[in-house]
């Protein structure tokens, strides 16, 4: 049984648009086909939320309280933790509400607000990862004032690309089953329920994606290519090992962010024959893997990796000098 047929049996078919006096109500989806065990399956998700919230909160607490950590790299690490906390919090209530209390109803305005913050914080995290890559290349230019400007510019970029996306959703009419595929509001998922022309929405969504993560990802890749080339050109084998150890945590953070993001996009576009629960699990994995693993990666690597950052900068500067 397909997800559409399952959804149409569970909820009524509606013909509504934004001009109706009655607010539009959508229905969030738990784990299709596994409703009997959904409560138990949700327990690991809850534990992952606890790990994500506690781990990122601990990083923020340590960086704020320890004066020796008030340095550019740790400032961006704090930004990364704030972003991961925000990503977890903006979906926590709906995800656990669906899994535990079957609280599936969500209004269009609430859905749009959640979508704005969900995609917005995703784009901000991509920008933070780019900044963390650039700081290894250009350490001396990252003053506190410039770090603040970078943070503000990421917020402005987020608002600039997301406002047209969410406002364009308001013009849509919906005349199919009002059942979303996930336990939170996802742009592609929402506009697919529209019975009006959604090409503008698709174009705006693609523009937002390519102008943020689509721009950041190649720049991150280029940054690490330049770092590795500089290190290999001059460093001894011992210095190379230290340099690569330093970069491991950064590259890991980039991988656990982009791999689930790309995988989710591929599942949405090419995984129509996959069972419905695959889409749901992939969607929750995309949300939870970076917030859960980032604190673990940086906590394990902080002692050795960040301590050797200075050595990496010296190696890089020596390579550039020669």
């Amino acid at each position: 049984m397909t997800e559409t047929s399952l959804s149409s049996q569970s909820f009524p078919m509606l013909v509504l648009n934004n001009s109706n006096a009655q607010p539009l109500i959508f229905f969030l989806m738990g784990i299709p086909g596994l409703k009997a065990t959904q409560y138990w399956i949700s327990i690991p998700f809850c534990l992952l939320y606890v790990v994500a919230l506690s781990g990122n909160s601990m990083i923020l607490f340590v960086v704020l309280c320890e004066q020796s950590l008030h340095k550019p790299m740790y400032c961006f690490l704090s930004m990364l933790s704030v972003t991961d906390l925000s990503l977890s919090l903006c979906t926590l209530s709906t995800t656990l509400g669906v899994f535990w209390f079957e609280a599936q109803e969500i209004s269009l305005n609430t859905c749009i607000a959640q979508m704005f913050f969900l995609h917005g914080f995703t784009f901000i995290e991509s920008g933070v990862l780019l900044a963390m890559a650039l700081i290894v290349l250009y350490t001396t230019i990252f003053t506190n004032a410039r770090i603040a400007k970078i943070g503000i510019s990421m917020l402005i970029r987020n608002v600039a690309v997301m406002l047209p996306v969410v406002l364009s959703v308001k013009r849509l009419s919906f005349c199919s089953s009002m059942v979303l595929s996930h336990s939170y509001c996802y742009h592609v998922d929402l506009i697919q329920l529209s019975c009006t022309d959604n090409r503008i929405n698709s174009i705006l969504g693609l523009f937002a994606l390519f102008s943020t993560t689509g721009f950041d990802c190649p720049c991150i890749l280029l940054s690490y290519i330049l770092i590795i080339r500089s290190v290999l050109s001059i460093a001894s084998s011992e210095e190379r090992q230290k340099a690569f150890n330093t970069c491991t945590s950064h590259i890991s953070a980039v991988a656990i962010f982009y791999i689930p993001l790309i995988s989710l996009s591929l599942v949405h576009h090419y995984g129509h024959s996959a069972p419905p629960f695959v889409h749901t699990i992939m969607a929750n994995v995309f949300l939870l893997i970076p917030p859960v693993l980032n604190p673990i990666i940086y906590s394990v690597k902080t002692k050795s990796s960040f301590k050797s950052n200075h050595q990496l900068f010296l190696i890089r500067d020596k390579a550039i000098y020669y």
Side-chain angles (χ1 to χ4, degrees):
M1 183 179 294
T2 65
E3 183 177 357
T4 304
S5 60
L6 178 67
S7 301
S8 61
Q9 290 181 11
S10 304
F11 301 99
M13 300 291 287
L14 302 173
V15 181
L16 293 171
N17 55 47
N18 295 324
S19 62
N20 288 101
Q22 182 182 0
L24 291 177
I25 299 296
F26 294 87
F27 298 92
L28 300 170
M29 179 65 70
I31 304 178
L34 300 174
K35 190 172 182 179
T37 58
Q38 181 172 285
Y39 180 85
W40 299 105
I41 295 175
S42 68
I43 294 177
F45 285 112
C46 180
L47 294 176
L48 289 174
Y49 272 112
V50 171
V51 172
L53 295 175
S54 58
N56 286 286
S57 298
M58 183 62 68
I59 285 181
L60 277 177
F61 177 78
V62 171
V63 173
L64 288 173
C65 293
E66 182 60 50
Q67 288 289 333
S68 62
L69 300 182
H70 293 179
K71 297 176 181 178
M73 181 58 77
Y74 290 98
C75 289
F76 287 117
L77 180 58
S78 298
M79 290 183 189
L80 188 66
S81 294
V82 169
T83 306
D84 283 337
L85 277 172
S86 303
L87 275 173
S88 300
L89 289 173
C90 73
T91 58
L92 175 64
S93 59
T94 56
T95 299
L96 296 186
V98 169
F99 285 161
W100 287 359
F101 308 109
E102 296 189 8
Q104 295 176 277
E105 294 188 2
I106 185 170
S107 68
L108 177 62
N109 289 334
T110 305
C111 190
I112 288 175
Q114 185 182 54
M115 187 177 68
F116 174 82
F117 288 110
L118 172 63
H119 292 289
F121 284 120
T122 301
F123 297 153
I124 289 175
E125 179 154 350
S126 176
V128 172
L129 291 173
L130 174 59
M132 294 177 76
L134 292 176
I135 197 173
V136 181
L137 279 175
Y138 308 106
T139 316
T140 55
I141 70 170
F142 280 86
T143 62
N144 290 335
R146 286 200 173 106
I147 292 173
K149 289 178 181 178
I150 290 172
I152 293 171
S153 66
M154 284 189 284
L155 290 174
I156 293 173
R157 182 182 74 164
N158 168 46
V159 173
V161 299
M162 281 307 300
L163 267 183
V165 172
V166 297
L167 291 177
S168 66
V169 174
K170 295 285 288 183
R171 71 176 184 84
L172 296 176
S173 297
F174 300 89
C175 51
S176 64
S177 178
M178 310 290 281
V179 183
L180 299 167
S181 302
H182 309 309
S183 56
Y184 56 84
C185 291
Y186 190 68
H187 180 252
V188 176
D189 192 22
L190 182 61
I191 65 174
Q192 285 177 346
L193 298 180
S194 171
C195 59
T196 51
D197 188 0
N198 61 11
R199 282 179 295 180
I200 293 177
N201 301 79
S202 298
I203 291 170
L204 288 173
L206 287 172
F207 174 78
L209 183 64
F210 283 111
S211 62
T212 52
T213 55
F215 172 79
D216 296 340
C217 187
C219 291
I220 292 171
L221 180 62
L222 178 61
S223 297
Y224 284 113
I225 290 174
L226 292 175
I227 293 167
I228 292 171
R229 189 183 70 173
S230 298
V231 170
L232 291 178
S233 66
I234 194 68
S236 65
S237 58
E238 183 180 355
E239 289 174 328
R240 290 175 191 172
Q241 184 64 39
K242 291 178 181 178
F244 288 134
N245 286 339
T246 302
C247 291
T248 299
S249 55
H250 305 315
I251 295 173
S252 300
V254 172
I256 64 175
F257 174 76
Y258 281 104
I259 291 175
L261 180 63
I262 294 171
S263 301
L264 180 61
S265 298
L266 291 175
V267 167
H268 264 286
H269 286 90
Y270 304 108
H272 301 294
S273 60
F277 69 86
V278 172
H279 293 260
T280 303
I281 292 175
M282 283 294 299
N284 286 285
V285 164
F286 155 64
L287 276 182
L288 288 173
I289 280 187
V292 168
L293 293 185
N294 279 338
I296 297 173
I297 290 171
Y298 282 107
S299 295
V300 170
K301 287 289 181 182
T302 292
K303 221 171 185 181
S304 59
S305 182
F306 280 112
K307 189 176 180 181
S308 60
N309 260 344
H310 180 63
Q311 293 172 321
L312 174 60
F313 298 149
L314 290 177
I315 294 169
R316 180 214 62 198
D317 293 339
K318 191 194 301 182
I320 294 172
Y321 175 78
Y322 283 104

